[in-house]
Amino acid sequence: MADPTLTDARTSAVGPLPVPSPRGGPGAAAALRSARGSGDGARQPSRGEADASAGHHWDARRAVAPVLGVSALNTLVHLLVLTAMLPPGWSLRDRLLSWDAALYRDIATEGYPPGLSYGDDGEPTGNNLAFFPLYPLLIRAVHGLTGLDAGGVAVAVAQLSLLGALFAVHALLTRLYGSRTALAGVVLLAGAQPMAVTFLMGYSESLFLALAAGALLAAHREAWAAAGVLGLLAGLTRPAAFAVAVALAVAAVLAMRRGGFSWRPVGAVALACTGTPAYLLWVGWRSGQLNAWFVIQEAGWGTRWDNGAAFFSFLAHTWEHADGWVPVSTAVLLLAAVGATAVAWRRGTWPPLLVYGTVMVVLTLAQSNYYHSKLRLLVPALVFLLPFAVALGRARTRTAVAVLAAATLFGSWYGAHMLTVWRYAI
């Protein structure tokens, strides 16, 4: 539904957790073993950071092999599991282009509708104006330049965006926690999340994650112009970019507390705040009704801000009736995400990353969207994966590999189940 060359730089981290040396034996997996030398050395605190814990240096050359390996392996596992679960007569391509993916493709090839649409009863209905423009514009551009099939382009753009997102997340987590934790984090992100399969579909989650993680990484490096531009682009991708803007505001405040007032972080925050309002105003102008986007969302998908009333009602109904695997598992997994987010608050997570992820969780749970879409909407949030990534970064290599492999198989199966057995949109 609608809804980097890096150098050491000043950081506004609040004491990243120390990461012990890996303890894997001779049978350790190559990917985790290769992370050992990828820049876990401490750096000297920058100005105003005498009380901050030592950071970590991200070496782009050392990161290429592990990140590409994670991306390739997780993609292969997800697609193999999905293919194995396809009913007779179904194709992998159709599943990767199902539901919202088909709507994004339509926008890319046919454009947006002229305004609000109405049913036979005269009431507004949902239409494609609910979907933000950057992702379909990229599909349209590549399709027009290459002549390739728009559906295939949609999937390719999503998967290339995922690769960019994994590099950005790996760089950020390496700077905060070290390379072992970063490697565990990207495996959890791309493989173990129950709806990580969305990253491989013609959906905008991959692009949004790449832009959000890139903005956070730029803010951690205090590259404010890049942070602002990436925040702006995130705002043209999904309305959840509000979380990116708030996170950049926190990063800007921390930077100015250290070094005094500067217009650069202020400008970055202001720029990051423009993308989403610009699209909402355009929809209002196109439709002749200022609140048209919100009308379309509620009419088509029942999405509105309700302070979590629908979510709590869903939990109560699910615990009372336990009527099926999907609602029960969704309830358990959402509560686990909330619990892990609370743990992240106790572990001294870098505040902008913490705020970004927490706002993403709140935005998802405090709206009345379909419960079976909430796990998909949370896949770019990151924050609830941090406690698990830190724990696995400290664990013996064999233990970490076993846990990550099992989690990836579960995540792959869960996403495939939702695309082949579950009869509703994700």
Side-chain angles (χ1 to χ4, degrees):
M1 56 176 287
D3 174 354
T5 61
L6 297 179
T7 58
D8 288 332
R10 289 176 295 174
T11 173
S12 53
V14 175
L17 290 173
V19 181
S21 299
R23 296 177 293 169
L32 280 173
R33 187 165 58 240
S34 70
R36 298 180 60 175
S38 59
D40 281 353
R43 61 162 176 81
Q44 294 298 317
S46 60
R47 183 177 56 196
E49 288 187 277
D51 60 340
S53 298
H56 302 271
H57 172 67
W58 186 72
D59 187 329
R61 293 170 300 177
R62 291 174 180 258
V64 168
V67 174
L68 288 178
V70 167
S71 177
L73 185 58
N74 278 290
T75 298
L76 179 63
V77 171
H78 274 83
L79 295 183
L80 285 176
V81 173
L82 178 55
T83 301
M85 294 180 63
L86 289 173
W90 289 30
S91 73
L92 179 62
R93 172 189 167 87
D94 287 345
R95 290 297 84 198
L96 296 179
L97 290 172
S98 59
W99 306 116
D100 288 6
L103 303 181
Y104 279 119
R105 180 182 56 191
D106 290 345
I107 296 169
T109 57
E110 302 171 13
Y112 282 106
L116 291 171
S117 53
Y118 299 89
D120 294 337
D121 58 0
E123 294 297 317
T125 62
N127 67 34
N128 286 350
L129 284 169
F131 295 86
F132 275 51
L134 185 58
Y135 178 58
L137 283 175
L138 288 175
I139 299 170
R140 185 183 187 94
V142 177
H143 170 64
L145 288 171
T146 64
L148 296 174
D149 171 69
V153 170
V155 173
V157 169
Q159 298 194 10
L160 289 173
S161 297
L162 174 60
L163 184 58
L166 294 182
F167 273 105
V169 172
H170 189 272
L172 180 60
L173 295 187
T174 297
R175 293 167 68 89
L176 293 173
Y177 300 109
S179 59
R180 281 177 60 86
T181 294
L183 185 58
V186 294
V187 174
L188 291 170
L189 174 65
Q193 293 196 87
M195 288 308 297
V197 68
T198 307
F199 290 138
L200 305 178
M201 300 175 63
Y203 274 59
S204 63
E205 272 77 5
S206 293
L207 179 61
F208 175 77
L209 176 60
L211 295 168
L216 290 168
L217 176 61
H220 194 265
R221 298 177 60 218
E222 299 191 4
W224 295 112
V229 169
L230 290 168
L232 163 66
L233 294 175
L236 293 172
T237 305
R238 301 191 69 83
F242 173 74
V244 181
V246 177
L248 292 184
V250 173
V253 169
L254 293 175
M256 289 189 289
R257 286 179 60 185
R258 291 195 309 272
F261 179 83
S262 170
W263 283 109
R264 292 173 61 242
V266 173
V269 174
L271 188 59
C273 290
T274 60
T276 294
Y279 181 66
L280 298 182
L281 288 172
W282 181 82
V283 172
W285 170 81
R286 188 175 180 89
S287 304
Q289 184 173 329
L290 188 60
N291 67 336
W293 185 83
F294 299 95
V295 172
I296 293 167
Q297 278 279 38
E298 185 164 4
W301 293 270
T303 300
R304 60 183 177 82
W305 186 267
D306 68 351
N307 298 310
F311 174 61
F312 290 115
S313 176
F314 156 67
L315 290 181
H317 177 83
T318 300
W319 298 138
E320 181 179 355
H321 300 284
D323 53 353
W325 160 253
V326 170
V328 172
S329 62
T330 298
V332 170
L333 291 166
L334 289 173
L335 291 176
V338 171
T341 300
V343 173
W345 275 88
R346 299 181 59 187
R347 287 181 171 267
T349 305
W350 183 49
L353 176 55
L354 186 59
V355 167
Y356 160 75
T358 302
V359 173
M360 287 287 292
V361 172
V362 172
L363 288 174
T364 300
L365 301 186
Q367 296 186 73
S368 60
N369 40 29
Y370 301 137
Y371 76 85
H372 43 84
S373 294
K374 293 186 182 294
L375 289 173
R376 188 259 298 178
L377 296 173
L378 284 177
V379 292
L382 295 175
V383 65
F384 50 78
L385 302 177
L386 294 178
F388 303 104
V390 169
L392 290 168
R394 291 173 163 179
R396 293 184 181 275
T397 300
R398 291 177 178 177
T399 300
V401 169
V403 171
L404 290 170
T408 297
L409 288 173
F410 170 76
S412 301
W413 172 83
Y414 195 99
H417 177 90
M418 294 297 285
L419 286 176
T420 60
V421 178
W422 183 245
R423 62 190 183 277
Y424 299 115
I426 61 170

